[in-house]
Amino acid sequence: MHETRKSLGWRIFSVIMLILVVPFETLDLLRSSSTYDMVRHTIDSVAVVGVFGYAFNIRLGPKYIWRIFAAIFAAFCFWLLLQTFSRFWALDLPSPGEWVVVSVLALGPIAIIVFMMLALFRYGRSSISDRLVFA
């Protein structure tokens, strides 16, 4: 079955994420000293590479690897989200306006994570077979 070409939006999103994440995560990975930071930077970098593969119909390994990784990425992001919200509750924000500002600022990263999860789960179930990078 031939996979249809992804929309321009997916390709633009993947390139922007690749440009924003991989250079910084790679440098942080080389400088990080804790295991937690190394795992976080590795998961973020691999997720962006997977989104890029999905957006450009490039097969990067077997589908089942991406299914497993998508679940790991989702669980890791959910755990990070719980940590972030626990920090928000610890903030002393007296006015409702400050809560609105903090909530709106949190929506951007959450939307990016949701789009990345969507792409990774779709990538794990897609039938990309025309361009094989490695398997």
Side-chain angles (χ1 to χ4, degrees):
M1 183 171 164
H2 183 67
E3 182 75 18
T4 59
R5 190 171 162 183
K6 301 296 181 286
S7 71
L8 181 62
W10 276 116
R11 289 183 271 146
I12 290 171
F13 176 74
S14 70
V15 169
I16 289 172
M17 293 308 299
L18 196 68
I19 290 169
L20 291 177
V21 172
V22 171
F24 301 108
E25 295 290 339
T26 304
L27 290 175
D28 285 346
L29 182 63
L30 296 174
R31 284 184 270 174
S32 65
S33 58
S34 71
T35 304
Y36 167 77
D37 287 337
M38 290 172 57
V39 168
R40 184 173 60 87
H41 297 311
T42 302
I43 288 176
D44 290 344
S45 296
V46 171
V48 169
V49 169
V51 170
F52 185 82
Y54 169 73
F56 286 93
N57 290 339
I58 300 170
R59 184 174 156 196
L60 301 169
K63 290 189 304 186
Y64 72 89
I65 296 290
W66 290 105
R67 286 183 199 144
I68 294 168
F69 179 77
I72 291 169
F73 181 73
F76 190 73
C77 288
F78 182 71
W79 180 64
L80 287 176
L81 192 63
L82 288 178
Q83 282 186 331
T84 303
F85 282 136
S86 69
R87 291 180 189 149
F88 281 158
W89 291 119
L91 293 175
D92 186 26
L93 300 175
S95 74
E98 290 175 332
W99 276 107
V100 169
V101 169
V102 168
S103 300
V104 167
L105 291 175
L107 288 178
I110 291 171
I112 289 171
I113 289 170
V114 167
F115 281 121
M116 289 180 69
M117 279 190 238
L118 178 65
L120 289 170
F121 278 113
R122 285 181 174 180
Y123 192 41
R125 69 171 176 79
S126 66
S127 59
I128 299 170
S129 62
D130 46 2
R131 292 191 297 179
L132 179 65
V133 174
F134 70 89

